[in-house]
Amino acid sequence: MEIQEQIKAYIDSQPEPKQGEMQALHQLILQAFPACKLWFFDGKNSENKTVSNPNIGYGMHTIKYANGKTNEWFKIGISANTTGISVYILGIEDKKYIAQTYGQKLGKASISGYCIKFKSLKDINVDVLVEAISTEAHQTAKP
């Protein structure tokens, strides 16, 4: 199955209103980051064991491991979770950066390291979320 089809199937598998919000968020990210590479991670590792919720990914980020190896992965990710939606902004080494930079303006969301979780788009300032995604998607790793 092609990535676009996997993304559509994943979004369509969500119950409403989460389905509509995931679709809206997907479109907002594509508008903010139009030429980005799209990813779909089904949440399973090489042994087909579930290791995370499925993720829709946008852009490209190189993960550097302690042993010197690197791996290409997405820069921005979104995922449905049991209580709402998670947005991941990868490549930020300072785990307080997102909370300090966007937290006060974001609204009713919990921010931990590189993850922004919220129950519904109506609970947050969507413009601030799009600003964070758009700004950070074009950045390299921050100290």
Side-chain angles (χ1 to χ4, degrees), residues 45-57:
N45 67 10
S46 58
E47 288 90 44
N48 206 30
K49 183 176 180 183
T50 299
V51 295
S52 77
N53 289 331
N55 277 267
I56 301 169

Side-chain angles (χ1 to χ4, degrees), residues 96-109 111 128:
K96 296 177 184 171
Y97 175 80
I98 294 175
Q100 291 172 344
T101 306
Y102 303 103
Q104 297 259 331
K105 304 180 282 184
L106 197 52
K108 202 171 169 182
I111 302 171
V128 172

Side-chain angles (χ1 to χ4, degrees), residues 21 24-25 28-29 78 84-87 102-111 116-133:
E21 293 197 349
L25 188 53
L28 285 169
I29 294 170
I78 64 172
I85 299 171
S86 296
V87 175
Y102 303 103
Q104 297 259 331
K105 304 180 282 184
L106 197 52
K108 202 171 169 182
S110 70
I111 302 171
I116 302 168
K117 287 184 187 178
F118 49 91
K119 186 172 182 165
S120 172
L121 287 175
K122 70 180 188 288
D123 294 334
I124 62 165
N125 183 328
V126 175
D127 291 339
V128 172
L129 180 64
V130 170
E131 174 191 339
I133 290 167

